[in-house]
Amino acid sequence: MREKIRTDRFRILSWGGVAFFTLLYASLIFNRNVWTDEIFTLKLIQNDFAGIVEGTAADVHPPLYYFLARVALLIFGDSLQVQKLVTILPMSLTLLLGATKVRRQFSDVTACFFIWTLGCLPCTMEYAVQVRMYSMALLAVTACGLYALEAFETEKRGAWIGFTVSALAAAWLHYFALGSVLLIQGFLFLALLMKKRRKLKCWLAAAAVMIAGYAPWAGVFLRQSAGVAQSYWIPKITWSTVADYFQWAFGISKWKWPAWAFTALAVGAGIMAVSGAAKRRREETAALLAMLVPALTAAAGVILSFLIRPVYRDQYVFPAMGLFCLFFAVELSRLVKRKAILIPVCLFLLFLGAVQYLETWRQEYRSTLTDQTVEFWEEHVGEDDLIVYNLEVYEFCYSYYFPEEKLSYVRDVDLDQEFDEIWFLDTPGEWEFVPPQILPYDLQIEYMGHYGIEHNEFDIYRVTKGPNPQPLPGEGAQG
């Protein structure tokens, strides 16, 4: 009876966690704040499917996520909130894997810890609502790992189908997700070779389907890889950068110590997993292999960056973090009777999750002046007005919020053309649009306020036709 009560309690916590974190993610979508990579997504999916293929072939990611985002746009309309929900859905489905597959393959206790670790892990909250492919890749890689375990342990044909489909989906979503599923495939091959060789024909069949399914994109992948090897925008990786990867995964912006505390916990969990695997405990062997997937994915990215050129960013390991959470959950479940250790660890995890939610909420709603800027645009800017900016690298972002045909860089603007008013976005420290420049055109400048888009803040000036402004102090009259 006591065991049943404990099982029911953990099952309630599991399903409650799925609902709770889904609601938290949904609470973060009611804004118009997007960043550069999200703008790339929102612009790309305005194209048809052929245009998406062309755009992704010129970029450094596969096209599956953009296809699905395009489908959502065609069905539900061109809405930022719809696209944010497209990223929340796979995040919630990954949590749902915890309440279903993890529970069946491990235990109710492990399932509960998996869900709450995934929800509270600091790096997951931001990517749950970011209009990019990362949450889909997380779902695919996590499912691939779970199906690989099921394919090894059971005779279910569906396990091999799930393994193959999820691996292909990961490969079509992100290149480092492809690296993660190749590791899973390698681990499964070695396990079958050592213990269940009769299943190697199933593995070979799955591998053949994966190769055939990825063949249409393989040429593009090789071409993009060659291009990245020659030139890429990621800055040089140092050992300090590598240390920052732990801050990204386990830390919060306010303090550095939580990341190192969580890293210490992960190392301790790793030692427990190695000890359990050495004793041939099934769950801890699986946990150790699960932990190796993100660890080796990140290590491969860092090594390639040192040997060739920088190609790795911290979020590229995100698709494999569901398997890290599975590893951590298995080791936490071993401590379920050691409450003196378990309770502080769980409280620390909840603390990290709460602080990270508040930080993500601030990023989504308070970190930029986007809403005020868009409201200003809607209220003041007319059909025949021009928008002039002086931060040239932000043209890509400005063109998402403002009609591209109205935009001009300050050094390229043609003041001889017909217009009603000019709205000058003045980023401090950049090229100014000053009275001496506009005097020949009989224009005036009026300060309108402080605004911003993404993380670029600027002052807005209204430039109108009218009498020449007074000369600046120390200047003579110009006529």
Side-chain angles (χ1 to χ4, degrees), residues 412-429:
D412 299 329
V413 62
D414 178 13
L415 295 177
D416 289 323
Q417 65 182 300
E418 290 295 324
F419 61 87
D420 288 342
E421 294 179 319
I422 291 176
W423 302 92
F424 177 47
L425 313 182
D426 181 21
T427 301

Side-chain angles (χ1 to χ4, degrees), residues 335-346:
L335 300 174
V336 73
K337 293 182 179 179
R338 299 186 179 183
K339 292 184 171 52
I341 300 174
L342 182 65
I343 290 176
V345 171
C346 290

Side-chain angles (χ1 to χ4, degrees), residues 113-224:
F113 286 138
F114 169 82
I115 291 166
W116 285 87
T117 300
L118 181 61
C120 291
L121 197 68
C123 65
T124 62
M125 189 68 67
E126 176 184 355
Y127 291 94
V129 294
Q130 194 175 104
V131 186
R132 298 292 285 161
M133 72 291 296
Y134 293 104
S135 63
M136 285 188 188
L138 174 77
L139 172 62
V141 173
T142 306
C144 183
L146 292 171
Y147 277 118
L149 178 62
E150 186 178 3
F152 175 76
E153 293 184 332
T154 73
E155 302 300 320
K156 295 179 181 178
R157 182 178 299 178
W160 286 103
I161 295 173
F163 169 67
T164 305
V165 171
S166 58
L168 261 178
W172 279 89
L173 285 164
H174 196 278
Y175 291 138
F176 275 89
L178 167 61
S180 293
V181 296
L182 287 176
L183 285 169
I184 294 169
Q185 196 170 20
F187 290 153
L188 179 58
F189 174 79
L190 292 175
L192 294 174
L193 187 65
M194 289 187 292
K195 300 211 170 180
K196 299 184 179 181
R197 293 189 180 184
R198 62 184 176 79
K199 286 190 175 185
L200 283 174
K201 61 181 183 294
C202 297
W203 184 94
L204 290 171
V209 172
M210 291 177 200
I211 292 170
Y214 202 63
W217 195 254
V220 177
F221 168 69
L222 293 174
R223 187 166 64 251
Q224 290 176 339

Side-chain angles (χ1 to χ4, degrees), residues 380-416:
H380 292 90
V381 181
E383 184 177 349
D384 296 319
D385 293 353
L386 300 178
I387 300 172
V388 177
Y389 57 92
N390 65 350
L391 184 56
E392 192 170 12
V393 296
Y394 258 70
E395 186 275 334
F396 182 76
C397 297
Y398 292 149
S399 64
Y400 169 73
Y401 290 99
F402 311 121
E404 199 160 356
E405 65 275 8
K406 294 180 179 292
L407 283 169
S408 293
Y409 178 52
V410 66
R411 301 187 69 175
D412 299 329
V413 62
D414 178 13
L415 295 177
D416 289 323

Side-chain angles (χ1 to χ4, degrees), residues 120 122 250 252 254-255 257-259 344-358:
C120 291
F250 307 132
I252 50 182
K254 290 180 178 293
W255 309 287
W257 67 264
V345 171
C346 290
L347 290 175
F348 175 64
L349 193 63
L350 291 172
F351 162 76
L352 289 181
V355 174
Q356 188 58 34
Y357 172 77
L358 293 175

Side-chain angles (χ1 to χ4, degrees), residues 30-80:
F30 301 103
N31 60 80
R32 290 177 281 194
N33 181 27
V34 291
W35 69 296
T36 305
D37 281 2
E38 292 179 295
I39 292 173
F40 177 84
T41 297
L42 296 168
K43 285 188 174 185
L44 184 61
I45 64 175
Q46 300 300 319
N47 298 291
D48 59 18
F49 292 102
I52 290 174
V53 170
E54 183 180 350
T56 49
D59 189 44
V60 289
H61 292 301
L64 179 57
Y65 164 72
Y66 303 106
F67 286 165
L68 298 175
R70 173 69 179 170
V71 170
L73 181 149
L74 293 174
I75 296 174
F76 300 106
D78 189 6
S79 164
L80 175 59

